[in-house]
Each structure stands twice: as C-alpha cells, then as structure tokens.
Amino acid sequence: MRIDASKCIGCGQCRPFCIMQVIDFTRSEKGKVHCVVNEDECVDCEICYRAKVCPVDALKQPETQWPRSIRGTFSNPLAIHKETKVPGRGTEEMKTNDITNRYERGFAGMSAELGRPGIGARLRDAEKVFMALAPLGVEFEPQNPLTNLLEDPKTGKMKEEVLNEKVLSCIVETIIPLDRILEVLDAMEKVAKTIDSVFSIDLVCRADEDLSVPSLKVMEAGHRWYTRNGKTNIGLGHLNVKGADR
Amino acid sequence: MDSLSRDYVIFAMSAKGFNSENSRYALTEFLKIVDKYHWVNMGDMKTGGYYLVGKEAIMEGVQDTSIVHGVFTSKEDLRGAVRELKAADLGVSITISGILDNVNEVLLDNNIKRHTVEVSLGVRGRTDRLPEEELLEVTTMCGHGMVSQTFVRQMLIDIKKGKRTPEEAANYLATPCVCGVFNPRRAQELLEELVDVWCMDEN
Ligand code: SF4
Ligand code: SF4
C-alpha cells in the first residue's frame, strides 16, 4: 500500500485500521504533515483502503510484481490464489472434507498458521517450520499455495526469493497418521522457539461412526490441551448440488 | 454463560473440481435460509460483510467460488437454520464454528452425524508480541485477522469519550471482516466489560 503524499492531509483516520500498525505520520520538506506506509512491513491486505475513511483518496495499492505479489494474495481475503482458485489463505482444509475426503479415517490434518493472530510473518519463518517437519517424513498438503512455494518438499527449503516476503498469515499444512500427532506437535513446539512471529496450531480429524473424534482422544491420552470450540463440518455435502443443472 | 456460548458461525462452500460448477444458486439459497433467523452478521468472502456492503450486495454477488457465512448468537436459531438447511438438501458443504459440544447437540437434535472436526491447540512462538488477551478475544473473531488491535483501542476511547455507544462501536469493528463472521453482539459485550475496567490514554 502507498499513500500519495501530495494528496494526504495527515488526518490519521486510516491509521487505526492498519493491522500491522505500519502507517505513521511524517513531514514533507516544506513541513507539511502527511502519513506514510512502511512498505517493507506492510502486507498489502488493503484493509486501510477498504475502510473507505480517506477523505482525499490518497491510499493506492500499486501493481505488484513477483515475489512482492505474494503479500496481497496471502493477506487479502478478496484475492484468489491462481493455483488453488481458493480465496484467502488458499486452502479448503476441512470445510469440504465431506466431499473431498482429504482427511481419511486414521489420519489427521495438522497445520501451523503463521502470523496468526494478527502479527504477520515473513516466509523465512514458514521455511523454518517446513524444515522442522520435513525430516519427519510428513506429507505437505499439495492443494495449499504455500506448499507451492517450496523449492524442495523433501527438505522443506523454500524458494530463496520469497523468504523476505511478509504476509498476514499462511498455513503450513500436513496430513499425518493419527499416531504421529504428538510427535509433530513436539516438533512444532520446538521450532516455535526459533521464529520471530507466532503460529496457531490446528488439528483436523474425521469423526468416527460413534461420533467420537480420534485426534482428540490422542490429545487427551497425551494430556495435551485443545480448545473446546472449533469447526464442525456437518457432512451435508454431495455431488448433486441443488440448482447446478440450470 | 460466557460470551463464547453466544457465538455460532455457520458457513457454506462448494469443493473446487468436485461440485463447484453452478453452485452459486445453492450458496444463495443457503444465505436465504440463514436470513430467516436472527443473524447478527453475514457475508461472502467474495463481496464483503454485512456491516460494510449490506445484505443485498452479498446476496446478489454470490459466485461458485464464494464462501458464504451467517452468525447466530443462540443455539435455537442455529438449530432452526440447520433443520431447514438439511431439508433443503443443497449439496454444498456446511461447517459450523462454535463450542463443539453445543454444535453436536444441535446436530443430534436434527439427526445429523458430525463429519469432521477441527480444534485449535493454541498459539506458539513469540507470544510476547501479542496484544492483551482481552483485545485478542475481540480481534480473533475475524479469523483472517482483519480487525486491528489499534482499531479496538480506538473504539474503547470513543466509547469512553461518549463519541459512540458500545453498540455502534461494535458494529463499526465488524466492517473490516470481509467474510462477515465477526460477531458484533459478542464484541459489544466484551467492549462494555473492557470500557469499565480499562484506563485509556490516547498518547
Ligand atoms: S495494506 Fe494492510 S498492512 Fe499495508 S498499510 Fe494498509 S492496512 Fe496496513
Ligand atoms: S486517511 Fe487519507 S488523508 Fe487521512 S492520513 Fe490516511 S491517507 Fe492521509
């Protein structure tokens, strides 16, 4: 995001909306107060622009080139990832598992969402998480745009040119056998000590016929904490979508 | 009862490459069903949330790749909407975010077996960089992190100064959340609690 200094009247109304807190006041050579975006720390989410508070239309999102373009596609939920056609962080995760069977019985989806909540993350932190998990032989979800930025899925090395890019959040997504949940969790906790941001860890699992959730049993047996709220895919999806034959 | 038990987000999407073609009609019907109950926010990731773009724009803008959302504050509304959604047999995937046991109870009332469950195992890393827990409770209602902590602080100052009521402030906080999953009534409750106990200074 960029602020046109010749238009900006320095009212500061856009500042509270900035999730990265990177809009600051400054002065032109002639002493005129205006605001400026620290573009290195900005994630191109366009929230400040969408807030529609600027009285003089001074906020503009410049056209971005690769690799800067990564910022907008990961941080602006209205943008679509070219690879997956999914908006936002670019992955359907468990939200369509009743159709895709992405998480089969006996497996769990385990993900680290970097930058969440509200801090943002450089992709070099995502690489650290990838590189901590790759030696465990876990499978990284191919239908996730972050996985597409890997140079080598075997080592978890990401493409060099993307490492300094900063995004609001991005998800390192794995699918693992149930009996490896605690091992992967331990590895995530270990690498968490080396990163400069935060990540939130999510655990996905298909419910059993008796409606119990096997992943939660593993967590309880290991005396590990998880939230009492979460997402429940209610299983009403099927292939003959109503009205689709119009 | 804590505020979490008054926060249920129900949303629908189709699966790319499986059943997404022409799914916009079913996704629109989903929103029409949600609209029959006492929702406090709704939205579509492709268009924006109710508090920014309004209901009409959301309804008219639904696409095959949309993810459409509605927010309820009561189990009763959720139960009713789920009953109708099941009867409508839309075929798109439906997910509910909320306290798992409460959601499961609503599903069982409707003879629905839960399919897949996701929980959070918490936040790791530089947690010292996070804002206060009370602010996080408000900001994280938008899962994409579109509601900034500074914005919440600003609203608290505005309430203290009498520039906005807690209700107005909470509705305004909902505007950046493009999916329309931010629960302004829960936010209002949290703001009302905070404004009494926090000392705010603009400098
Ligand atoms: S685009 Fe996002 S991060 Fe950049 S200045 Fe605007 S709100 Fe802040
Ligand atoms: S709202 Fe517009 S005029 Fe006011 S500080 Fe921001 S960019 Fe400048």
Side-chain angles (χ1 to χ4, degrees):
Chain A
M1 184 59 59
R2 199 166 288 166
I3 290 173
D4 183 338
S6 68
K7 284 187 179 174
C8 175
I9 55 169
C11 70
Q13 289 192 80
C14 53
R15 294 184 69 231
F17 287 91
C18 178
I19 41 168
M20 293 290 116
Q21 292 142 65
V22 295
I23 305 180
D24 277 313
F25 289 109
T26 187
R27 248 176 230 287
S28 69
E29 279 173 23
K30 290 182 183 157
K32 181 186 164 241
V33 173
H34 64 91
C35 276
V36 64
V37 175
N38 177 346
E39 289 185 38
D40 181 46
E41 294 292 341
C42 163
V43 294
D44 294 341
C45 64
E46 298 187 28
I47 291 171
C48 51
Y49 173 78
R50 280 198 300 277
K52 296 184 188 150
V53 289
C54 182
V56 293
D57 201 20
L59 290 149
K60 283 267 162 346
Q61 176 60 47
E63 276 279 317
T64 52
Q65 304 298 320
W66 174 263
R68 172 93 199 187
S69 53
I70 289 170
R71 297 188 186 214
T73 40
F74 276 91
S75 311
N76 180 355
L78 297 175
I80 268 206
H81 289 266
K82 287 189 206 85
E83 306 87 358
T84 59
K85 306 274 188 294
V86 179
R89 288 148 293 190
T91 161
E92 292 178 5
E93 295 171 295
M94 52 79 80
K95 296 167 203 144
T96 53
N97 199 41
D98 48 347
I99 298 291
T100 61
N101 203 23
R102 201 175 193 178
Y103 309 99
E104 295 172 56
R105 289 224 161 90
F107 289 83
M110 210 162 164
S111 59
E113 183 165 0
L114 282 118
R116 184 176 179 167
I119 299 288
R122 299 271 172 190
L123 293 186
R124 74 169 65 87
D125 277 340
E127 185 188 61
K128 283 182 186 161
V129 179
F130 273 126
M131 290 182 82
L133 301 184
L136 305 179
V138 301
E139 183 197 342
F140 296 117
E141 170 57 65
Q143 293 294 316
N144 175 320
L146 194 65
T147 311
N148 286 314
L149 300 178
L150 284 172
E151 180 82 55
D152 181 1
K154 292 256 173 323
T155 62
K157 183 95 195 78
M158 293 183 79
K159 296 185 168 105
E160 191 63 36
E161 72 269 24
V162 307
L163 295 180
N164 196 40
E165 294 307 327
K166 184 181 168 191
V167 296
L168 175 54
S169 70
C170 59
I171 310 179
V172 175
E173 201 179 349
T174 70
I175 297 176
I176 53 172
L178 281 172
D179 59 8
R180 300 195 68 188
I181 291 174
L182 297 181
E183 182 191 354
V184 172
L185 180 56
D186 287 340
M188 283 183 177
E189 289 184 335
K190 195 167 164 210
V191 72
K193 295 193 178 89
T194 70
I195 66 167
D196 193 35
S197 182
V198 291
F199 55 76
S200 48
I201 307 176
D202 283 332
L203 183 61
V204 175
C205 191
R206 175 138 191 216
D208 268 338
E209 273 305 317
D210 67 359
L211 303 184
S212 65
V213 184
S215 59
L216 303 187
K217 288 185 190 160
V218 173
M219 292 296 288
E220 279 155 21
H223 305 289
R224 309 294 275 267
W225 181 88
Y226 62 89
T227 48
R228 67 196 171 106
N229 60 318
K231 293 192 191 110
T232 305
N233 179 320
I234 70 174
L236 294 185
H238 54 70
L239 293 178
N240 297 317
V241 167
K242 193 170 174 184
D245 52 358
R246 278 188 205 190
Chain B
M1 258 203 317
D2 60 341
S3 66
L4 201 53
S5 62
R6 287 185 289 279
D7 195 8
Y8 300 97
V9 182
I10 185 161
F11 55 97
M13 70 185 293
S14 52
K16 312 293 160 282
F18 290 88
N19 64 354
S20 57
E21 219 180 304
N22 282 336
S23 61
R24 58 189 177 279
Y25 305 108
L27 294 171
T28 308
E29 191 173 339
F30 169 90
L31 284 177
K32 284 183 182 159
I33 292 173
V34 165
D35 192 30
K36 292 187 190 171
Y37 296 85
H38 301 99
W39 52 272
V40 294
N41 200 354
M42 65 156 63
D44 175 359
M45 218 159 154
K46 307 292 289 186
T47 316
Y50 170 74
Y51 288 90
L52 189 65
V53 299
K55 191 168 88 179
E56 220 164 276
I58 298 165
M59 293 278 192
E60 282 169 10
V62 177
Q63 302 171 29
D64 292 347
T65 49
S66 284
I67 309 178
V68 286
H69 307 78
V71 185
F72 296 119
T73 54
S74 82
K75 251 196 306 190
E76 289 62 44
D77 281 308
L78 181 69
R79 189 179 288 118
V82 167
R83 188 190 315 119
E84 255 189 80
L85 286 165
K86 186 185 176 196
D89 192 21
L90 301 175
V92 290
S93 296
I94 296 174
T95 300
I96 301 169
S97 169
I99 294 175
L100 293 175
D101 288 345
N102 294 3
V103 172
N104 200 32
E105 192 190 306
V106 166
L107 296 182
L108 291 174
D109 289 345
N110 284 296
N111 286 319
I112 296 172
K113 284 184 160 190
R114 60 182 178 185
H115 186 281
T116 304
V117 170
E118 174 174 344
V119 293
S120 169
L121 310 188
V123 179
R124 306 292 195 284
R126 290 281 312 274
T127 48
D128 57 301
R129 293 183 60 192
L130 294 173
E132 299 86 335
E133 188 68 38
E134 297 92 327
L135 281 192
L136 273 179
E137 222 179 313
V138 179
T139 58
T140 54
M141 272 192 254
C142 166
H144 285 108
M146 303 273 111
V147 179
S148 93
Q149 51 159 309
T150 332
F151 190 20
V152 184
R153 288 182 208 278
Q154 184 66 51
M155 288 304 104
L156 284 167
I157 292 172
D158 284 4
I159 298 169
K160 283 251 190 211
K161 285 182 171 171
K163 275 171 74 178
R164 290 173 210 271
T165 64
E167 184 182 358
E168 287 163 353
N171 291 353
Y172 196 27
L173 280 176
T175 56
C177 169
V178 289
C179 300
V181 301
F182 186 90
N183 180 335
R185 299 292 66 81
R186 184 171 160 221
Q188 181 181 339
E189 226 177 284
L190 295 166
L191 289 177
E192 279 164 355
E193 279 168 27
L194 283 183
V195 87
D196 282 343
V197 294
W198 271 28
C199 226
M200 304 293 299
D201 189 343
E202 275 181 275
N203 302 310

